[in-house]
Coordinates of all heavy atoms in Angstrom, one line a residue:
L20 N 134.4 109.5 71.4 CA 133.0 109.2 71.4 C 132.3 109.8 70.1 O 131.4 109.2 69.5 CB 132.3 109.7 72.6 CG 132.8 109.1 73.9 CD1 132.1 109.8 75.1 CD2 132.6 107.6 74.0
H64 N 106.1 101.6 68.0 CA 107.5 101.4 67.5 C 108.6 101.2 68.6 O 109.6 100.6 68.3 CB 107.9 102.6 66.6 CG 108.0 103.9 67.3 ND1 106.9 104.6 67.7 CD2 109.1 104.6 67.6 CE1 107.3 105.7 68.3 NE2 108.6 105.7 68.3
L77 N 125.7 91.6 79.1 CA 125.0 92.6 79.8 C 125.9 93.2 80.9 O 126.6 92.5 81.5 CB 123.7 92.1 80.5 CG 122.7 91.5 79.5 CD1 121.4 91.1 80.2 CD2 122.3 92.5 78.3
P79 N 126.4 95.7 84.5 CA 125.8 95.6 85.9 C 124.4 96.3 86.0 O 123.6 96.0 86.9 CB 126.8 96.2 86.8 CG 127.7 97.1 85.9 CD 127.6 96.4 84.5
F88 N 126.4 99.8 68.7 CA 125.9 100.9 67.9 C 126.1 102.2 68.7 O 126.5 103.2 68.1 CB 124.4 100.7 67.6 CG 123.7 101.9 66.9 CD1 124.1 102.4 65.7 CD2 122.7 102.5 67.6 CE1 123.5 103.5 65.2 CE2 122.1 103.6 67.1 CZ 122.4 104.1 65.9
P90 N 127.8 104.8 71.3 CA 129.2 105.0 71.8 C 129.4 104.5 73.2 O 128.5 104.5 74.0 CB 129.5 106.5 71.6 CG 128.1 107.1 71.7 CD 127.2 106.1 71.1
L94 N 130.3 107.0 81.6 CA 129.5 107.4 82.8 C 128.4 106.3 83.1 O 127.7 105.8 82.2 CB 128.8 108.7 82.5 CG 129.8 109.9 82.1 CD1 129.0 111.1 81.7 CD2 130.7 110.1 83.3
E103 N 112.0 114.1 70.1 CA 111.0 114.7 69.3 C 110.4 113.6 68.4 O 111.1 112.7 67.9 CB 111.6 115.7 68.4 CG 110.6 116.5 67.6 CD 111.3 117.7 66.8 OE1 111.4 118.7 67.4 OE2 111.6 117.4 65.6
I112 N 98.4 96.1 62.8 CA 98.6 94.7 63.0 C 98.9 94.0 61.7 O 98.1 94.1 60.7 CB 97.4 94.0 63.7 CG1 97.3 94.6 65.1 CG2 97.6 92.5 63.8 CD1 96.0 94.1 65.9
G130 N 126.5 119.7 84.8 CA 125.2 120.0 85.5 C 125.4 120.0 87.0 O 126.5 119.8 87.5
T132 N 124.6 117.7 88.9 CA 125.0 116.4 89.3 C 126.4 116.0 88.8 O 126.8 114.8 88.9 CB 124.0 115.3 88.9 OG1 123.8 115.4 87.5 CG2 122.6 115.6 89.6
L135 N 127.6 115.5 82.3 CA 126.6 114.8 81.5 C 127.0 114.7 80.1 O 127.6 115.6 79.5 CB 125.3 115.7 81.5 CG 124.8 116.2 82.9 CD1 123.7 117.2 82.7 CD2 124.2 114.9 83.6
T145 N 109.4 102.7 59.0 CA 108.6 102.7 57.7 C 107.9 101.3 57.6 O 108.3 100.3 58.2 CB 109.6 102.8 56.5 OG1 110.6 101.8 56.5 CG2 110.2 104.2 56.5
R161 N 125.2 110.0 83.0 CA 125.8 110.9 84.0 C 126.5 110.1 85.1 O 126.4 108.9 85.1 CB 124.7 111.8 84.7 CG 123.6 111.1 85.4 CD 122.6 112.1 85.9 NE 121.6 111.6 86.8 CZ 121.6 111.6 88.1 NH1 122.7 112.0 88.7 NH2 120.6 111.2 88.8
A181 N 96.0 122.3 84.8 CA 95.7 121.7 83.5 C 94.2 121.8 83.1 O 93.3 121.8 84.0 CB 96.0 120.2 83.5
L193 N 103.0 97.7 86.5 CA 102.9 98.5 85.3 C 104.3 98.6 84.7 O 104.5 98.5 83.5 CB 102.4 99.9 85.7 CG 102.4 100.9 84.6 CD1 101.4 100.6 83.5 CD2 102.0 102.3 85.1
G284 N 101.8 116.9 92.0 CA 101.4 117.8 90.8 C 102.6 118.3 90.1 O 102.4 119.1 89.2
M288 N 107.7 115.1 83.1 CA 108.0 115.2 81.7 C 107.2 116.2 81.1 O 106.0 116.3 81.4 CB 107.9 113.8 81.0 CG 108.1 113.9 79.5 SD 108.1 112.3 78.7 CE 109.7 111.6 79.3
T293 N 102.1 119.9 68.3 CA 101.4 120.7 67.2 C 100.8 119.8 66.2 O 101.2 118.6 66.0 CB 102.5 121.6 66.5 OG1 103.5 120.8 66.0 CG2 103.0 122.6 67.4

Side-chain angles (χ1 to χ4, degrees):
L20 298 178
H64 64 285
L77 300 183
F88 169 64
L94 303 174
E103 186 175 275
I112 294 174
T132 58
L135 305 171
T145 58
R161 68 184 185 89
L193 176 67
M288 177 174 284
T293 56

